[in-house]
Amino acid sequence: MRLTIIGSGYVGLVAAACFAELGHQIICVDNDQQKIELLRAGEVPIYEEFLPELLAKHRGRRLRFTTELTEALANCAAVFIAVGTPATEQGEADMSCVEEVSRAIARSLDGYKVVVEKSTVPVLTHDWVRKVMLMNGAPPGSFDVASNPEFLREGSAVRDFLYPDRIVLGVGNERSSEVLHQIYEPLASGRYYQDASRVPGPAEPRIPPIIVTSPKSAELIKHASNAFLATKVSFINAVANVCEAVGADIQQVCEGMGTDSRIGRKFLNPGIGYGGSCFPKDLVAFHAVARECGYDFPLLEEVSRVNREQLRRFVRRVKGALWTLRGKKLAVLGLSFKGGTDDMRESPALGVVELLLYEGCEIRAYDPAAMEHARRLLPAQVGYAANPYEAATGADALLILNDWKEFATMELERLRKVMAYPIVVDGRNLYDPAAMSAAGFTYYSIGRPAVLAERKVEAVPVGDIAVSPHPHYRLGDIVAPSAAWNPQSPQSQ
Ligand SMILES: NC(=O)c1ccc[n+]([C@@H]2O[C@H](COP(=O)([O-])OP(=O)(O)OC[C@H]3O[C@@H](n4cnc5c(N)ncnc54)[C@H](O)[C@@H]3O)[C@@H](O)[C@H]2O)c1
């Protein structure tokens, strides 16, 4: 089938490459001329496992790139909207790109098409897309609007797309439903999983169920799913804080809770809080849309509050580990919002680094994929290293801020030898405290008692140590994230 994808970011580009992998003819459109030139030249603008291989395999054959929407829409069966929907200053989803694209599609229609929302959008957006298209000359009957939310995770996006838990199709009629079923047929029939050259996945892949809903239910499924996952993260972080207060071990609590099949082990990972381009903005957008519909949903506000507080607790923990911060040399491992991606949007690591700089620390950071972005976002005084050991050389402490595999498998002996003081403050619980203690480290983690080399110490009373307010990073305000570290804001370019 001929498909058009508008927006070549983390979602659009992955969707385009994966649809090409499923046998479709894809044209990918973006209004960022530079990005399109880069893609045409064979480069890959984002870090994502298997994406370079898929782009190389299909570029110029089943996959083309353009900035020209009209040309891209010619003869396609469906057009997927995958542009950004960032948060406005008020916390609502900014739908201006979706509106702009809807207008442009309306003016370029050359026959019946299904217009598919792939971007995460507030409930009832499909109605707006339809109205905007009609107002811009699209003949009624020449299109349908459907919702096909995307659940991929950065870091494993290609695999998530090709081996999804489920495919949600929010459709208003048979005609659009039929087109979307055909598009996903290679997955829903299991045909793709018989292909010997498929992207590596489970040995015996499970055929994903297709869940057909109304467009508004599909829109809600995406917002509600992200809000629920963010709630799970904040919940376990709050439990970790109770563990710290009583000296219990959050990992044991997670095992005990997670083996209950009603709860599940996934997303029960305490840390420094969630970030990324989805959870923070989708949570506030869902809150805003619920409020607009007449329901306040205060639970969502509390989830955001716990998340903000978690980052501040971590900085207090660092202060608790080091007594004073001014002039301390800190190695920071991990800058993207999680391992496996170069995406720095709403990364809690940025907030931590900014607060520590404000406290007068010297920072030398390392991240396997995000340092290029970080240089543009963080103040110039942050230093960068080529690997974890270089970052740690001469450091008073080492902080782990995201969960790249590389950080969980460091040579501990080598690490300890290069550090000025063998202190590790682990914001992702990547190590076993006993092993760190045996390796000669004083080790602090989340929701577990701190350990000295070979012996336990009392839990650090993190609540007693104040951190100065920071002028850029407005800790009390998630609704309008600070321009200083919001990559979507023009000030940070
Ligand atoms: N990133 C994720 O993990 C993820 C997962 C699921 C859903 N989503 C949702 O998918 C959507 C896209 O997210 P993303 O992370 O890919 O964003 P992104 O910022 O990486 O990509 C968006 C792309 O759209 C392009 N664009 C903007 N306006 C355009 C226009 N008028 N015409 C053509 N191109 C235009 C931009 O240049 C950019 O390349 C968002 O709604 C997001 O919430 C993201």
Side-chain angles (χ1 to χ4, degrees):
M1 296 172 82
R2 287 178 70 94
L3 309 177
T4 304
I5 317 284
I6 309 181
S8 313
Y10 285 87
V11 167
L13 192 56
V14 168
C18 291
F19 280 141
E21 172 74 359
L22 296 181
H24 301 304
Q25 290 291 333
I26 310 299
I27 303 192
C28 213
V29 190
D30 206 288
N31 61 0
D32 181 340
Q33 179 88 36
Q34 221 184 339
K35 195 181 264 190
I36 291 297
E37 275 165 19
L38 209 89
L39 285 162
R40 280 180 173 158
E43 291 186 43
V44 187
I46 55 171
Y47 180 94
E48 197 58 63
E49 202 181 12
F50 300 119
L51 187 59
E53 291 86 341
L54 284 192
L55 291 178
K57 185 170 167 191
H58 300 299
R59 187 186 285 113
R61 286 176 279 273
R62 291 188 199 147
L63 185 54
R64 288 187 296 126
F65 300 98
T66 181
T67 51
E68 295 301 323
L69 184 66
T70 310
E71 169 204 320
L73 283 179
N75 302 318
C76 73
V79 46
F80 287 78
I81 301 177
V83 297
T85 50
T88 63
E89 284 288 305
Q90 290 72 38
E92 294 157 351
D94 179 350
M95 300 303 292
S96 54
C97 291
V98 175
E99 184 181 11
E100 187 188 330
V101 163
S102 309
R103 272 196 231 116
I105 299 172
R107 294 183 189 131
S108 305
L109 278 184
D110 66 341
Y112 176 79
K113 296 182 198 317
V114 184
V115 178
V116 190
E117 299 166 351
K118 203 47 153 163
S119 300
T120 301
V121 295
V123 63
L124 298 179
T125 296
H126 68 284
D127 259 355
W128 276 108
V129 171
R130 183 176 169 72
K131 279 182 206 151
V132 166
M133 287 188 62
L134 291 173
M135 276 191 295
N136 284 276
S142 67
F143 70 97
D144 281 305
V145 183
S147 165
N148 170 220
E150 184 48 60
F151 301 99
L152 62 77
R153 297 160 298 173
E154 287 175 24
S156 54
V158 168
R159 261 210 276 231
D160 290 345
F161 195 97
L162 294 170
Y163 301 91
D165 288 341
R166 78 299 206 191
I167 295 161
V168 173
L169 304 181
V171 285
N173 59 27
E174 260 312 303
R175 194 176 184 187
S176 53
S177 175
E178 178 59 28
V179 171
L180 279 161
H181 274 86
Q182 272 181 43
I183 293 172
Y184 283 105
E185 186 277 338
L187 297 181
S189 66
R191 194 158 50 80
Y192 178 67
Y193 305 127
Q194 266 128 50
D195 182 347
S197 66
R198 66 186 161 95
V199 167
E204 286 180 25
R206 174 180 154 276
I207 293 179
I210 292 201
I211 297 172
V212 180
T213 70
S214 65
K216 54 184 148 187
S217 294
E219 290 163 343
L220 269 174
I221 285 169
K222 177 63 190 174
H223 259 170
S225 298
N226 275 2
F228 187 80
L229 291 171
T231 304
K232 211 169 169 186
V233 173
S234 277
F235 185 87
I236 206 62
N237 281 336
V239 175
N241 298 339
V242 177
C243 285
E244 282 168 16
V246 300
D249 182 330
I250 187 66
Q251 295 309 133
Q252 293 173 355
V253 175
C254 288
E255 282 313 311
M257 286 176 66
T259 41
D260 184 328
S261 59
R262 294 168 303 174
I263 297 173
R265 183 66 181 81
K266 287 184 185 163
F267 269 74
L268 288 187
N269 296 317
I272 58 173
Y274 59 76
S277 67
C278 292
F279 286 6
K281 84 161 169 65
D282 291 347
L283 195 86
V284 241
F286 191 33
H287 193 197
V289 84
R291 216 184 295 119
E292 225 170 85
C293 301
Y295 179 63
D296 186 32
F297 218 153
L299 175 64
L300 299 182
E301 206 162 276
E302 187 57 14
V303 170
S304 291
R305 194 197 62 74
V306 170
N307 197 55
R308 293 192 299 270
E309 180 56 22
Q310 198 64 11
L311 187 151
R312 290 194 297 193
R313 279 183 72 91
F314 182 77
V315 176
R316 289 200 291 266
R317 169 152 305 236
V318 176
K319 202 165 182 174
L322 297 177
W323 184 26
T324 66
L325 289 177
R326 185 152 304 279
K328 290 279 162 70
K329 293 185 174 60
L330 301 180
V332 163
L333 299 188
L335 294 168
S336 54
F337 80 96
K338 64 173 181 177
T341 179
D342 60 350
D343 197 345
M344 306 265 317
R345 289 178 285 185
E346 303 289 329
S347 171
L350 287 172
V352 169
V353 168
E354 287 220 341
L355 283 169
L356 291 170
L357 288 174
Y358 181 76
E359 292 289 328
C361 298
E362 275 178 44
I363 307 274
R364 189 152 24 148
Y366 169 69
D367 185 289
M371 290 197 291
E372 202 183 310
H373 291 317
R375 278 181 216 275
R376 291 199 297 270
L377 297 169
L378 284 170
Q381 75 255 43
V382 173
Y384 296 91
N387 57 55
Y389 309 99
E390 188 182 314
T393 300
D396 294 308
L398 176 120
L399 318 182
I400 301 177
L401 302 187
N402 73 16
D403 57 354
W404 281 93
K405 274 190 204 135
E406 184 180 345
F407 300 156
T409 54
M410 289 186 288
E411 296 166 43
L412 295 180
E413 176 74 5
R414 181 176 167 198
L415 192 68
R416 190 175 48 75
K417 281 189 177 150
V418 296
M419 293 180 70
Y421 295 94
I423 299 172
V424 172
V425 190
D426 183 353
R428 298 289 178 174
N429 286 8
L430 298 187
Y431 285 92
D432 171 28
M436 290 303 275
S437 168
F441 287 94
T442 297
Y443 178 71
Y444 299 85
S445 54
I446 309 286
R448 300 183 293 188
V451 289
L452 280 180
E454 297 292 359
R455 71 184 175 92
K456 273 192 178 181
V457 294
E458 289 300 306
V460 180
V462 291
D464 296 337
I465 301 154
V467 172
S468 314
H470 189 269
H472 288 164
Y473 181 59
R474 292 179 298 193
L475 290 168
D477 188 2
I478 196 171
V479 172
S482 157
W485 59 284
N486 179 356
Q488 281 154 354
S489 95
Q491 289 96 311
S492 63
Q493 297 303 307

